[in-house]
């Protein structure tokens, strides 16, 4: 096509306005694909807040509620799970491992959970990643604590610091278990999950600090020191929930039915993956809204292109008449315009992607440190490619309007150059 | 085949009972009973503004097609060709010079001259048979039109004077030796001495390339430079204006 090199030269001749159009398309593409990528990664990391756990067991409740308190430590359980029931269920031959957790206390607003060493052994998040210690070791003694990364960073705790657990979940708590401090023996590596915001102590520790308490209040004059506590029986009566891994995934629904129909007490077992997805449907609306908005930004970019092309057309009538006089066909005149629109959007899309990757490379450590969001610098996904294709297509379609006008002009003007 | 030896050259343009109305107009702009222009003739088409000169040229170049009648250019009934066929015919056989703003601002002087060769293989081959490259042929024509100053060649075309621009346009019309050169008031933006100088150059080059020249103007004083004058209002039966 003899007209294409001309299209390029013509565009270069108007490089300043072309550059602005290009830039607005590129930036809108960066925004669109960036939002899509963050959305996908947020979804992935959210739905993998817990992975590798087949079931979560707690007192009878809705699945989102159980998920909220057992995984996100939000809200309070209506009831507990008795130690006997937990022991019995854990002994089922289909069960490979369990992690008991006990909630209800806090430290400076961060939830404190009681658990055992199986937590460090079996808990998985993200892409089946295991918890890793940045410093120290898992707890061993009753009065030892392992901190989530965020807790340690925000409160500035070091190894061997002593921390006081407060009763209840509030930030300002009037009842402190200050007679039994805990020693920091380990700090976990950042996970981007609620684990970062959690203080982990042994179940026995939870039991120890509540000795001498009745109905959530300390009995006056019956304060017990750490040394005294160690001589008592620290087996818990209740726990809040248990994470369960099964020997075989095939048994999940069968075991879930067993738990849900448990005779001794009303229990609920949820599949964390399913519950997380249900929860995402509730909160994921925000991300969808964000994607929609960035879609509109692209529309604004395309409208800018359309405006630039349309105003260009009238100034280029003379050029079109000259081209017609040397034998350019009307469709070639139209192709000149559509080619320009397509070229600008394609280049804009590529530029936008390049910019996105630069931002990803530069912003990856920040996103991980601040949001706990790991943004992989990976090849574009199918969805992202589809978005890019959509942008280029929209650019080409937008080019049809000025091209049609140029086509009509070039037919109507005939041999006269109308200004 | 015997026609080649015939003493009278075959007509470049023959036109019979042709009528044309712009789609937006109520009446015909042109109604011509008959008109013939011989090959190699240099014809002056004269008439006041708005009498339909440019409209006639748009029919001859196949940009528009007559609503009725028969129009032959170089023996081809171009009204019967398809749109694409007429465009190809124009690019192969007709060179056009406009009143002004003839040049494409983002192309160099030489690129402007060789523009028709992008669209017509015939003219590209003819141009190549004269010069070794299109550029050399363009330079040859420019030199014939008194544009041999090397410093000019590298200037952006919009920095050329109007007279220089018109000569570049003439070189573009002439490249690849099209049979017909059409000039639509090419001198109306030039002052009197440059006007005659331009017409003389154009005439000389048309003669050298063997083309038929149709030169249109509203200025009757130019008539002396041409073989023949056609006064359009005298032959146009559609006198109704507007
Ligand atoms: N592209 C066009 N569309 C509609 N009407 C036109 C167009 N070009 C010319 N006309 C009309 O045709 C008539 C003849 O115009 P034109 O051929 O340009 O005259 P001239 O070239 O002799 O000055 C005028 O009335 C003009 O308004
Ligand atoms: Mg005119």
């Amino acid at each position: 096509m003899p007209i294409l090199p001309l299209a390029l030269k013509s565009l270069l001749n108007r490089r300043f306005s072309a550059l602005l159009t290009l830039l607005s398309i590129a930036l809108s593409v960066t925004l669109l694909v960036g939002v899509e990528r963050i959305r996908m990664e947020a979804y992935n990391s959210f739905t993998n807040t817990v992975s590798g756990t087949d079931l979560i067991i707690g007192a009878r409740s809705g699945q989102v509620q159980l998920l909220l308190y057992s995984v996100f430590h939000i809200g309070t359980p209506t009831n507990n799970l008795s130690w006997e029931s937990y022991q019995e269920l854990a002994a089922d031959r289909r069960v490979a491992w369990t992690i008991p957790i006990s909630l209800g206390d806090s430290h400076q607003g961060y939830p404190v959970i009681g658990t055992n060493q199986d937590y460090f052994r079996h808990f998985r998040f993200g892409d089946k990643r295991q918890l890793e210690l940045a410093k120290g070791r898992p707890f061993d003694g009753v009065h030892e604590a392992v901190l989530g990364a965020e807790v340690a960073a925000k409160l500035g705790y070091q190894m061997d610091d002593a921390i006081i657990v407060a009763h209840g979940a509030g930030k300002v708590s009037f009842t402190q278990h200050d007679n039994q401090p805990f020693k920091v023996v380990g700090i976990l590596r950042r996970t981007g999950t609620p684990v970062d915001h959690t203080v982990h102590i042994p179940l026995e520790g939870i039991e120890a600090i509540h000795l001498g308490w009745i109905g959530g209040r300390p009995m006056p004059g019956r304060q017990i020191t750490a040394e005294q506590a160690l001589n008592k029986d620290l087996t818990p009566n209740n726990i809040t929930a248990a994470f369960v891994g099964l020997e075989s995934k095939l048994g999940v629904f069968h075991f879930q039915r067993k738990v849900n129909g448990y005779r001794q007490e009303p229990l609920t077992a949820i599949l964390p993956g399913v519950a997380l997805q249900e929860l995402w449907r509730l909160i994921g609306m925000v991300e969808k809204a964000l994607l929609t908005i960035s879609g509109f930004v692209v529309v604004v970019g395309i409208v800018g292109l359309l405006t630039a092309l349309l105003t260009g057309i009238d100034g280029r009538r003379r050029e079109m008449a000259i081209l017609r006089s040397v034998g350019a066909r009307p469709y070639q005149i139209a192709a000149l315009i559509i080619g320009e629109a397509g070229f600008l959007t394609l280049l804009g899309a590529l530029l936008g992607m390049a910019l996105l990757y630069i931002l990803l490379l530069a912003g990856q450590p920040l996103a991980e440190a601040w949001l706990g969001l790991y943004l992989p610098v990976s090849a574009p996904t199918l969805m992202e490619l589809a978005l890019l294709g959509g942008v280029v297509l929209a650019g080409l379609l937008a080019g049809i309007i000025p091209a049609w006008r140029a086509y009509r002009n070039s037919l109507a003007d005939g041999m006269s150059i109308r200004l | 085949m015997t026609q080649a030896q015939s003493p009278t050259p075959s007509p470049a343009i023959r036109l019979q009972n042709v009528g044309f109305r712009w789609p937006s107009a109520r009446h015909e702009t042109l109604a011509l009973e008959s008109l013939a222009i011989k090959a190699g003739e240099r014809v002056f088409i004269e008439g006041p503004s708005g009498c339909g000169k440019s409209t006639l040229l748009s029919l001859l170049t196949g940009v528009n097609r007559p609503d009725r009648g028969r129009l032959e250019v170089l023996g081809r009934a171009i009204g019967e060709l398809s749109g694409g066929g007429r465009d190809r015919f124009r690019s192969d056989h007709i060179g056009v010079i406009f009143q002004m703003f003839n040049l494409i601002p983002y192309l160099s002087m030489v690129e402007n001259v060789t523009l028709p060769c992008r669209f017509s293989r015939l003219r590209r081959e003819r141009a190549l048979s004269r010069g070794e490259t299109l550029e050399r042929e363009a330079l040859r024509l420019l030199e014939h039109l008194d544009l041999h100053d090397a410093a000019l060649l590298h200037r952006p075309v919009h920095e050329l004077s109007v007279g220089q621009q018109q000569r570049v346009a003439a070189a573009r019309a002439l490249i690849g030796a099209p049979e017909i050169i059409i000039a639509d008031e090419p001198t109306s933006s030039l002052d009197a001495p440059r006007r005659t100088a331009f017409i003389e150059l154009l005439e000389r080059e048309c003669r050298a390339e063997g083309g038929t020249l149709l030169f249109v103007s509203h200025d009757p004083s130019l008539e002396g430079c041409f073989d023949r004058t056609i006064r359009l209002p005298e032959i146009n039966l559609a006198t109704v204006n507007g």
Side-chain angles (χ1 to χ4, degrees):
Chain A
M1 194 108 146
I3 208 105
L4 282 183
L6 292 183
L8 211 62
K9 285 187 172 166
S10 164
L11 203 58
L12 276 176
N13 186 49
R14 291 168 285 124
R15 54 185 158 287
F16 188 67
S17 72
L19 209 64
L20 285 181
T21 311
L22 196 65
L23 209 64
S24 79
I25 292 174
L27 288 176
S28 64
V29 164
T30 306
L31 185 69
L32 179 72
V33 180
V35 164
E36 166 62 16
R37 182 157 293 199
I38 290 175
R39 198 177 77 96
M40 275 324 290
E41 286 317 315
Y43 171 80
N44 282 339
S45 102
F46 183 85
T47 49
N48 286 318
T49 308
V50 192
S51 60
T53 296
D54 294 313
L55 290 167
I56 299 175
I57 300 175
R60 171 80 35 96
S61 65
Q63 77 164 357
V64 169
Q65 193 193 0
L66 176 52
L67 182 78
L68 278 176
Y69 70 71
S70 64
V71 174
F72 295 95
H73 316 315
I74 296 171
T76 45
T78 47
N79 238 319
N80 283 330
L81 165 63
S82 74
W83 186 252
E84 287 73 37
S85 302
Y86 164 64
Q87 291 284 304
E88 196 188 317
L89 289 169
D92 191 294
R93 64 186 160 73
R94 284 166 290 190
V95 173
W97 53 263
T98 62
I99 302 169
I101 60 166
S102 192
L103 294 162
D105 287 338
S106 63
H107 174 74
Q108 308 257 357
Y110 292 103
V112 171
I113 76 167
T115 181
N116 61 21
Q117 295 204 352
D118 287 337
Y119 186 85
F120 303 100
R121 218 168 285 139
H122 296 300
F123 187 86
R124 296 283 187 281
F125 67 96
D127 194 12
K128 302 268 158 59
R129 281 161 72 187
Q130 198 171 0
L131 293 176
E132 286 171 45
L133 284 148
K135 280 184 210 151
R137 56 173 174 82
F139 51 68
D140 192 20
V142 174
H143 293 96
E144 290 181 345
V146 172
L147 305 183
E150 180 75 9
V151 180
K154 273 278 157 61
L155 302 179
Y157 284 132
Q158 301 296 329
M159 299 292 289
D160 298 332
D161 282 350
I163 63 171
I164 303 290
V165 174
H167 192 72
K171 173 125 190 161
V172 184
S173 180
F174 298 105
T175 46
Q176 307 263 11
H177 300 288
D178 45 9
N179 49 334
Q180 296 186 39
F182 285 78
K183 189 174 90 168
V184 177
V185 297
I187 295 172
L188 291 168
R189 215 165 245 148
R190 193 172 285 278
T191 64
T193 72
V195 171
D196 298 348
H197 299 258
T198 306
V199 176
H200 307 84
I201 62 174
L203 279 176
E204 293 79 12
I206 296 274
E207 210 52 34
I209 55 179
H210 291 103
L211 284 172
W213 285 50
I214 290 175
R217 289 167 175 281
M219 294 294 288
R222 288 198 53 194
Q223 294 305 302
I224 287 176
T225 64
E227 293 76 45
Q228 288 170 321
L230 291 180
N231 296 322
K232 309 264 175 178
D233 174 19
L234 293 177
T235 311
N237 292 322
N238 298 299
I239 57 171
T240 309
F243 290 50
V244 177
L246 297 179
E247 294 286 358
S248 152
K249 303 271 172 258
L250 297 174
V252 168
F253 292 107
H254 206 251
F255 190 71
Q256 185 186 27
R257 254 196 316 277
K258 172 178 172 175
V259 175
N260 287 342
Y262 197 63
R263 288 280 168 84
Q264 282 80 343
E265 56 183 312
L267 296 178
T268 296
I270 60 167
L271 284 77
V274 175
L276 282 164
Q277 279 182 22
E278 187 181 323
L279 190 54
W280 179 263
R281 269 198 292 280
L282 296 176
I283 61 171
M285 297 298 285
V286 181
E287 263 82 358
K288 279 222 183 77
L290 215 60
L291 188 67
T292 312
I293 291 169
S294 43
F296 279 118
V297 174
V298 172
V299 171
V300 171
I302 299 281
V303 169
L305 168 76
L306 185 59
T307 317
L309 286 174
L310 274 177
T311 45
I313 290 307
D314 288 327
R316 293 169 70 192
R317 265 180 117 134
R318 191 189 306 155
E319 178 187 333
M320 304 299 169
I322 295 168
L323 289 174
R324 287 280 285 147
S325 80
V326 296
R329 327 246 187 287
Y331 82 82
Q332 287 177 313
I333 301 284
L336 192 71
I337 310 295
I338 294 196
E340 190 171 300
F343 178 77
L344 280 177
T345 35
L346 188 66
L347 203 64
L350 293 178
L351 212 66
M353 284 306 277
L355 193 62
L356 177 69
Y357 276 99
I358 291 171
L359 286 177
L360 273 180
L361 281 172
Q364 198 184 32
L366 296 180
E368 185 148 27
W370 291 346
L371 307 173
L373 197 60
Y374 174 69
L375 293 174
V377 186
S378 51
T381 62
L382 273 182
M383 174 68 180
E384 289 168 6
L385 288 179
L387 285 175
L388 285 180
V391 170
V392 175
L393 196 67
L396 283 173
L397 287 178
I400 288 180
I401 300 164
W404 172 244
R405 269 187 74 138
Y407 180 91
R408 292 279 308 273
N409 284 351
S410 70
L411 283 180
D413 288 356
M415 279 298 282
S416 49
I417 294 194
R418 317 193 118 205
L419 299 176
Chain B
M1 304 306 110
T2 49
Q3 217 173 4
Q5 274 88 40
S6 73
T8 49
S10 60
I13 289 161
R14 188 158 52 190
L15 184 151
Q16 228 140 28
N17 288 323
V18 161
F20 177 78
R21 178 177 71 82
W22 284 101
S24 56
R26 257 179 300 144
H27 304 283
E28 278 189 335
T29 305
L30 280 180
L32 302 171
E33 228 165 44
S34 83
L35 174 68
I37 292 167
K38 291 195 281 294
E41 248 189 321
R42 281 161 293 280
V43 179
F44 181 51
I45 299 177
E46 191 249 290
S49 267
C51 75
K53 303 184 297 295
S54 297
T55 305
L56 174 62
L57 296 185
S58 81
L59 295 182
L60 299 181
T61 52
V63 170
N64 289 311
R65 112 191 345 191
D67 299 320
R68 61 183 172 83
R70 184 158 180 85
L71 167 59
E72 278 176 25
V73 180
L74 302 172
R76 293 281 285 279
I78 68 164
E80 282 153 31
L81 294 176
S82 68
R86 282 179 282 140
D87 289 330
R88 199 165 312 126
F89 184 85
R90 175 169 63 254
S91 68
D92 282 345
H93 302 293
I94 302 175
V96 178
I97 310 168
F98 292 112
Q99 177 175 347
M100 53 164 138
F101 307 123
N102 261 295
L103 304 184
I104 292 191
Y106 51 82
L107 297 182
S108 72
M109 204 154 118
V110 169
E111 284 170 328
N112 262 289
V113 175
T114 56
L115 193 60
C117 304
R118 281 179 194 267
F119 293 92
S120 164
R121 180 206 293 241
L122 187 69
R123 283 174 73 178
R124 182 165 60 242
E125 279 164 5
R126 279 198 217 142
L128 285 173
S129 73
R130 281 161 202 247
E132 267 156 42
T133 63
L134 291 180
E135 288 66 34
R136 196 160 299 171
E137 172 65 0
L139 290 173
R140 185 186 70 84
L141 285 166
L142 287 170
E143 196 177 319
H144 279 222
L145 290 159
D146 284 343
L147 285 168
H148 34 59
D149 188 352
L152 282 180
L153 289 175
H154 302 290
R155 278 248 208 101
V157 288
H158 61 82
E159 283 180 14
L160 300 176
S161 74
V162 184
Q164 288 166 334
Q165 288 189 24
Q166 292 306 70
R167 279 179 278 155
V168 176
R172 182 179 67 210
L174 288 162
I175 198 166
E179 288 85 342
I180 299 173
I181 307 290
I182 282 180
D184 191 356
E185 316 223 26
T187 55
S188 53
S189 48
L190 302 180
D191 49 33
R194 289 178 196 284
R195 202 172 291 168
T196 28
F198 177 80
I199 292 171
E200 275 165 15
L201 279 174
L202 187 60
E203 278 238 283
R204 197 185 68 204
E205 282 312 302
C206 276
R207 205 187 302 271
E209 308 291 321
T212 307
L213 174 64
L214 298 189
F215 191 103
V216 165
S217 179
H218 65 275
D219 179 1
S221 71
L222 300 176
E223 121 171 45
C225 311
F226 299 90
D227 298 344
R228 177 153 79 99
T229 298
I230 297 170
R231 262 176 262 285
L232 187 58
E234 287 173 11
I235 61 163
N236 187 4
L237 305 177
T239 44
V240 207
N241 249 352

